[in-house]
Amino acid sequence: MKTLLKNVRIETDYLTEGSFTYGTATKKLAIMFDSGIITAVLDNEVEISKENLTEDLVVIDGQNTLLLPQLREMHVHFDKSKLGIPWTPIVPVKNRIERFTKEFDYLNKVPLSFSKRMENLINLELSCGVTHFRSHIDIHPTVGQRYLESAQKVLENYQNKLDYELVAFPQHGLLLSNAFNEMKTALENGANLVGGVDPISIDNDLETSLNQTFELATQFNVPIDYHLHERHHDARKVFTKFLTLIEETKWQGKVTISHAYGLRDLPIEERKELFARLAANKVTIISSIPLDFVIPPLTELKQAGVKILIGCDNIYDCWSPFGNGDVMDKLNRYAEIFDLTTQKELTESLELVTDQKLITASGWIKTGMPANFTLVNAGSTAEFVARKVPVTASYFKGQRVK
């Protein structure tokens, strides 16, 4: 359906007075889209000529909202949600192995189906404006492909509302649970990325665990997104091995490390050397912005050229009773923790949930892009981030979702 969205604004530059940046310049524009693709970006409404206003054209008034890129949830677990289940606190455990063992038993007995719990989680995040998801899905011999197949079935009903990536995730340890063959099957069955978790503290064999992870990635030509909670010297050893394998397999730009708590444990000089190497190998770090003093030095990483992204991770599950499913709330927390208070810092922080550079001379939105975008009733991106302005509307492939 041919659609014209008019009366929206994009930011084009920063406004300064001396050395102080006090705002952003905006310009009004209109965009046309058809079949889910941007077909025209009209710099001002004068360009909306009468011949464009054909009978089959749907016209939407953006009401002077700010036009921003698609919001992306880059770390979530579709299969772990307890949303829709009456309140239960998390059960105390001695360690993570006991946690995921008890979790599996609990999820097998919950009084609400996998599909309904997953739908509740997706709908919650859609209501906050997200239209892209990367979800880790547990894969191990005990569960087999059941969670993956169930998630894929649910996603069939959301084809016009979101896009997604599914990570085959050996939560119980690639080696510890003997999950290698099930991981292969998951990748054959449509998982988009190889996951993994703690090759030392869970698998107890750094070399074999990471070698098998890269074997899967290279065999199926897929990226890696790896949960890494290792600390201190163990973190140092894991990052060194990761970088060696990336360079050996030429897997630059295809590796993400989620959590990466141990980076905060390294001395400053060692950080500089390691962060430069991470940037050179185009490694991405994803954080859920934890408040328990394990958050990695994200601004240092960003300054070193390492891509940083954000995900909600736990949203009321067996690991945490918290989480509201709003990536913008996580971004606001990130800005507050790292004292990002300037117009430019707050504006640039949006890249952590859009993976899109925002302010450019020609504007971020281009003809030929998917018609995935966000509308916000804010004067600027900085206001959107700092003041937690609600998303007014989200569009996916040209269809309104929120």
Side-chain angles (χ1 to χ4, degrees), residues 33-186:
F33 46 91
D34 188 15
S35 302
I37 301 296
I38 304 291
T39 57
V41 178
L42 309 173
D43 278 348
N44 60 69
E45 296 190 30
V46 175
E47 296 182 24
I48 307 172
S49 58
K50 289 183 179 179
E51 56 263 30
N52 283 330
L53 298 176
T54 56
E55 291 182 1
D56 63 343
L57 183 68
V58 175
V59 179
I60 301 171
D61 184 354
Q63 300 183 333
N64 202 39
T65 50
L66 191 63
L67 177 66
L68 297 172
Q70 172 188 41
L71 298 183
R72 300 161 67 89
E73 161 62 275
M74 293 305 293
H75 191 113
V76 72
H77 293 266
F78 286 153
D79 53 343
K80 297 180 182 293
S81 171
K82 291 165 55 179
L83 292 171
I85 297 171
W87 163 257
T88 55
I90 61 171
V91 176
V93 295
K94 296 176 183 176
N95 52 49
R96 281 182 295 124
I97 293 175
E98 186 180 355
R99 169 71 66 208
F100 58 61
T101 302
K102 285 183 177 293
E103 174 191 49
F104 179 73
D105 294 338
Y106 174 86
L107 292 178
N108 273 339
K109 299 172 184 176
V110 290
L112 196 63
S113 68
F114 179 105
S115 60
K116 186 59 181 173
R117 291 183 288 109
M118 177 174 162
E119 287 167 3
N120 289 342
L121 190 155
I122 290 175
N123 292 338
L124 176 63
E125 295 224 32
L126 291 178
S127 74
C128 296
V130 164
T131 55
H132 177 95
F133 292 80
R134 177 182 289 185
S135 176
H136 298 253
I137 304 292
D138 282 13
I139 301 291
H140 52 82
T142 309
V143 76
Q145 305 298 305
R146 177 159 51 97
Y147 289 175
L148 176 62
E149 291 167 356
S150 296
Q152 290 169 324
K153 187 173 182 180
V154 171
L155 289 165
E156 289 175 3
N157 298 322
Y158 287 89
Q159 293 181 27
N160 296 320
K161 293 185 176 182
L162 57 88
D163 53 12
Y164 62 88
E165 306 164 90
L166 298 179
V167 185
F169 176 43
Q171 167 76 85
H172 296 209
L174 181 61
L175 304 183
L176 184 65
S177 68
N178 193 28
F180 185 82
N181 288 333
E182 287 291 350
M183 290 284 288
K184 287 181 67 174
T185 303

Side-chain angles (χ1 to χ4, degrees), residues 9 11 22-26 66 68 343 346-347 350 358-359 376-387 389:
R9 296 172 295 117
E11 292 164 293
Y22 64 87
T24 49
T26 63
L66 191 63
L68 297 172
Q343 186 81 17
L346 289 165
T347 302
L350 193 71
L358 191 62
I359 296 184
V376 181
N377 188 20
S380 66
T381 297
E383 181 185 7
F384 175 44
V385 174
R387 300 307 308 150
V389 178

Side-chain angles (χ1 to χ4, degrees), residues 295-315:
I295 190 168
L298 298 177
T299 51
E300 284 182 44
L301 284 157
K302 196 169 185 294
Q303 289 164 4
V306 179
K307 180 186 285 190
I308 306 298
L309 297 172
I310 284 177
C312 287
D313 197 6
N314 309 107
I315 303 170

Side-chain angles (χ1 to χ4, degrees), residues 14-23 342-344:
Y14 292 102
L15 298 173
T16 60
E17 185 174 322
S19 60
F20 175 57
T21 300
Y22 64 87
T342 70
Q343 186 81 17
K344 189 172 184 181

Side-chain angles (χ1 to χ4, degrees), residues 249-302:
T249 59
K250 303 189 186 312
W251 230 240
Q252 289 86 354
K254 298 181 180 181
V255 173
T256 295
I257 305 295
S258 288
H259 306 309
Y261 299 153
L263 291 177
R264 68 176 290 114
D265 301 325
L266 305 179
I268 293 294
E269 288 306 312
E270 187 176 351
R271 286 186 195 178
K272 289 180 180 178
E273 182 179 345
L274 176 60
F275 293 2
R277 206 171 159 202
L278 290 172
N281 283 281
K282 299 179 181 179
V283 175
T284 297
I285 302 294
I286 291 179
S287 177
S288 61
I289 319 299
L291 292 173
D292 55 358
F293 307 106
V294 294
I295 190 168
L298 298 177
T299 51
E300 284 182 44
L301 284 157
K302 196 169 185 294

